[in-house]
Amino acid sequence: SSEGTEHDVVVIGGGPGGYVAAIKAAQLGLKTACVEKRGALGGTCLNVGCIPSKSLLNNSHIYHQIKHDVKHRGIDVEGVSLNLEGMMAAKDKSVKGLTSGIETLFKMNGVDYVKGTGSIANETEVKVQPLDGGSEISLKTKNIIIATGSEATPFPGLEIDEKKVVTSTGAIALSEVPKKMIVIGGGIIGLEMGSVWSRLGAEVTVVEFLEAIGGPGMDADMAKTMQRILAKQGIKFKMATKVLSGDASGEGVSLNIESVKNGKTETLDADVVLVAIGRRPYTEGLGLENVGIETDERGRIIIDQEYRTKHSNIRVIGDVTFGAMLAHKAEEEGIAAAEFIKKGYGHVNYGAIPSVMYTHPEAAWVGQTEQEVKKSGKEYVVGTFPFIANSRAKTNLDTDGMVKFIADKETDRVLGIHIVGANAGEMIAEGVLAIEYGASSEDIARTSHAHPTLSEAFKEAAMATYDKAIHA
Ligand code: FAD
Ligand code: NAI
């Protein structure tokens, strides 16, 4: 048992940030415990985020493709029908396999897994209310890592019941395909989950406050390209539109919306409304007040460059503090935080963290957007290459999208890479490496890429940045 012995590190939260920090700390020889209250490891990402959404994205894509996109490939299929229960079971199986896999990793690395809600009592003590209802446990520790993650930002006046008015958590578990679905917020969650239900037969309308989809951080050209493609797939967009109020008292839900541009109002009805307007840090019941740790105006716990709060032995990583709310970002911070504790140094390159939206086609990017480069005042060049001119994309009959490079005009150093296309999420890894190594676009263009692959489009966009592409 964990009680009684003093730990070197107690991690609060078992998501991608927390569980990775715990494993790394244990690997570095530190006596480590990880406190998690949901009854399973893996956090938002594995239980209700990345993993279940990707399962549904993959399988809804296969279903949609078999139903609508095989005839011209010379494949005749009949009697295709959706077994939603089966699709949900496949999702649950993937989730279960991965979350229990982390439990095994904890055992292999000697991490104490404490099931319960952790609360910081003082700088060197975490109290745990066990999940099974037993009496409170006290964990004495030299260091604390807070990794409590985030939760969906609610929409004022619309009560979430996870059935009719849902966050992503309800949207990955609907028991039937809604006839009409409205998505509030055209960011990553809205577009991923909107895609899933649209493919499965729902009429999906996305209401977005801004004039561009994709949430913060998507290059404007890519957002436009992506919106055009998703619209072609049947998703409707109400851009620059504000939701004023909602009413879920009837059978469905009705929303009053208003154009930001001309103030025109309109009522939209739906069976299900997905609220996807962002996520906010989660610190409820954590006991921050007991140690005087502060959050900023957006609820993020304030830390320094080494993830330290005002108490140098209490560090914070992942969604609950600054930066992109991404699983791999939280994981990098988990490793760095453990290394800081053990060795006194650690590092995350925030300029080289990829973003991927797992729609079809995918959108993926790393580094700066063109808007950001422009704003920085740096002179730059842009090179693009469309997948319609790529042999493999043409062979696959999957030609939507393009690759866009942005490089420093003077040095040719790559500043940003933006891809919309099938497999963009895998392809971007090459871009991340390029930025990590400070590559020029010419370095990439002179690197041999296998033929025929989609990654040749990547190479040709690099060519088009400092010279001319061959195939376009
Ligand atoms: P979390 O994963 O939120 O984990 C925090 C954990 O702490 C939770 O399990 C919680 O129960 C626990 N906890 C909180 N308070 C306490 C306490 N007091 N005591 C004990 N335990 C506590 N990111 C990607 O990179 N790729 C994706 O494809 C992707 N898809 C997503 C899809 C959806 C629908 C959502 C919602 C998110 C997605 N994300 C994705 C974001 C990703 O899930 C988060 O960035 C990531 O989970 C953050 O990790 P974390 O460890 O900081 O926090
Ligand atoms: P988001 O920040 O990506 O997008 C929210 C969108 O809602 C923005 O476009 C915003 O302008 C809009 N919006 C905000 N308030 C609005 C209002 N009142 N009316 C209409 N539109 C409004 O947030 P989202 O999609 O909820 O995702 C949360 C986080 O989860 C993201 O930051 C992302 O990092 C993470 N995530 C990552 C995924 C991935 O990596 N593939 C997948 C899903 C989530």
Side-chain angles (χ1 to χ4, degrees), residues 44 49-50 53-54 57 150-156 168 183-193 206-216 238-244 275-280 319 323-328 354-359 363 365:
T44 303
C50 327
S53 63
K54 262 82 268 178
L57 278 157
S150 62
E151 62 179 352
T153 306
F155 189 89
S168 52
V183 177
I184 309 180
I188 310 273
I189 292 185
L191 299 176
E192 286 189 354
M193 294 319 299
V206 173
V207 181
E208 167 58 51
F209 184 72
L210 301 176
E211 285 186 47
I213 60 166
K238 294 257 178 209
M239 302 303 291
T241 302
K242 200 156 76 174
V243 176
L244 297 174
V275 178
I277 56 172
R279 292 179 63 81
R280 62 181 187 192
D319 280 12
M325 289 187 168
L326 295 172
H328 43 283
S355 293
V356 181
M357 178 166 85
Y358 298 84
T359 45
W365 63 96

Side-chain angles (χ1 to χ4, degrees), residues 218-235:
M218 199 186 277
D219 182 87
D221 279 346
M222 296 294 135
K224 252 184 254 151
T225 303
M226 201 70 225
Q227 192 184 335
R228 199 177 334 113
I229 296 168
L230 292 174
K232 206 169 69 185
Q233 292 173 8
I235 296 181

Side-chain angles (χ1 to χ4, degrees), residues 373-386:
V373 178
K374 204 175 264 170
K375 214 169 141 200
S376 75
K378 192 172 267 177
E379 287 209 68
Y380 65 94
V381 282
V382 170
T384 61
F385 193 85

